[in-house]
Amino acid sequence: MKRFTGIFTPIVTPFKSDDTLDETGLRRNVARWMETSLTGLVVLGSNGEAAQLDDAEADRIVDIVRGDVPSNRPLIAGTGRESTRATIEATRRAASAGVDAVLVRTPSFFKSQMTTDLFVHHYTDVAEASPVPVMLYNVTMFTGVNLQPDAVERLAAHPNIVGIKESGSDIAQIAEFVSRTPDDFTVLAGSATTFVHALCAGCDGAILALAALAPDACAELAALVREGRLDEARTLQQRLLPLAKSVGGTYGVPGLKAALHLLGFASGPPRPPLRSAAPSTIDSIRGQLEALGVFPLVPAGRSAVSR
């Protein structure tokens, strides 16, 4: 089996009301997720507000999470930066902290110059310098650039580049990633709204914000597709769709943090300039969690911005 096949969740970074890291809450969250069917965790991803953290905070988070994730559960850390040099430095620090792999987003500030050749050079340099396996991270909705199948095919030939997380919903592109890379190259979906379609296209699993809230349902959906029970898989996908939209493209990190608070996780407010979800949004998410039977819910009326 491919090493990173399965269901992962990109964990949030819980903050206190003074905008400092809630270390106790982070440990409590990790302990809860380790009691679920999740394959492992991703720290410092987009949903972890990685772009809003300084290096000292990021390194501290990796240390805390690695200490609480058993060695038999894979931990992946986001280490993408705008420069190759900074990405390599972050990657080496994460590797020293004991992560099993790094997830490296595409640099994107100089969008018009982000060509296939440039991406190949960037990722090759990172992979050559990385003490741990490297996973590509294509998240066009945030970066505005797209890692094309040609680039992924070339990079997949590198022995230390082991997979990709594709956060978009372009199933044709996902299918190309699957068909144009070696059998031992892992392709993980990043969109819960099209998860069943990505699995049918050949994905090996996923890194989903939704899996922080409904890990067993996400694992069940993957199992249904593997077993060829596609009607049941599509039915489950439809049940999950409203919540998947809320904690994905519709409300993003504020929505995910609100949902986690409703389930008793530490979340706290997003880091500015992001703002906490509006009360009407929280009410909508509460209804979606209730419809899925995801319990226990924090009683209505309690703040969903800090815990």
Side-chain angles (χ1 to χ4, degrees):
M1 178 181 290
K2 302 176 186 181
R3 185 175 179 188
F4 299 103
T5 295
I7 306 298
F8 297 80
T9 196
I11 67 174
V12 300
T13 299
F15 296 114
K16 299 177 184 177
S17 58
D18 63 357
D19 198 32
T20 59
L21 178 64
D22 181 357
E23 296 189 7
T24 300
L26 178 59
R27 289 190 173 96
R28 187 169 71 245
N29 288 353
V30 171
R32 282 187 63 179
W33 281 315
M34 288 299 94
E35 295 175 353
T36 73
S37 58
L38 287 171
T39 303
L41 301 180
V42 174
V43 66
L44 304 179
S46 300
N47 285 292
E49 299 175 81
Q52 311 280 45
L53 303 172
D54 61 39
D55 284 346
E57 289 175 317
D59 294 347
R60 179 60 179 156
I61 290 166
V62 173
D63 284 337
I64 290 170
V65 178
R66 178 71 282 180
D68 290 341
V69 172
S71 59
N72 65 337
R73 304 282 283 274
L75 176 64
I76 302 171
T79 58
R81 302 290 192 275
E82 281 303 302
S83 76
T84 303
R85 175 179 174 174
T87 301
I88 289 171
E89 290 173 351
T91 295
R92 286 174 170 163
R93 293 196 305 272
S96 295
V99 303
D100 298 289
V102 292
L103 185 68
V104 180
R105 65 165 174 82
T106 50
S108 61
F109 185 83
F110 296 104
K111 289 179 175 55
S112 64
Q113 298 179 51
M114 296 296 106
T115 63
T116 286
D117 285 343
L118 187 145
F119 282 137
V120 169
H121 284 298
H122 171 72
Y123 280 110
T124 298
D125 288 347
V126 172
E128 292 289 345
S130 176
V132 295
V134 171
M135 301 190 73
L136 314 173
Y137 181 18
N138 196 36
V139 57
T140 305
M141 65 182 289
F142 294 139
T143 65
V145 299
N146 184 32
L147 193 60
Q148 299 286 344
D150 285 347
V152 174
E153 181 177 14
R154 289 166 60 183
L155 290 166
H158 193 287
N160 203 33
I161 298 177
V162 300
I164 183 172
K165 176 190 176 183
E166 170 52 63
S167 288
S169 297
D170 185 341
I171 302 303
Q173 177 161 286
I174 290 172
E176 278 205 73
F177 290 162
V178 172
S179 66
R180 294 173 62 173
T181 55
D183 289 344
D184 61 355
F185 185 83
T186 302
V187 179
L188 298 176
S191 172
T193 60
T194 53
F195 185 30
V196 69
H197 310 291
L199 289 168
C200 290
C203 276
D204 302 293
I207 300 173
L208 301 175
L210 179 66
L213 309 168
D216 294 337
C218 291
E220 180 186 356
L221 196 154
L224 289 171
V225 173
R226 283 197 307 270
E227 295 165 8
R229 298 159 62 186
L230 298 185
D231 287 343
E232 293 173 70
R234 284 190 287 265
T235 298
L236 179 55
Q237 173 84 75
Q238 288 301 311
R239 288 187 58 227
L240 293 171
L241 193 57
L243 184 61
K245 287 181 177 179
S246 288
V247 302
T250 302
Y251 303 119
V253 171
L256 177 59
K257 283 196 160 184
L260 285 166
H261 172 76
L262 289 170
L263 294 178
F265 285 89
S267 58
R271 174 161 281 180
L274 295 179
R275 288 290 184 264
S276 298
S280 59
T281 297
I282 296 169
D283 289 342
S284 175
I285 291 172
R286 176 185 292 277
Q288 292 163 356
L289 290 166
E290 289 174 341
L292 286 175
V294 181
F295 299 107
L297 291 177
V298 172
R302 291 184 56 181
S303 170
V305 300
S306 177
R307 184 173 174 82

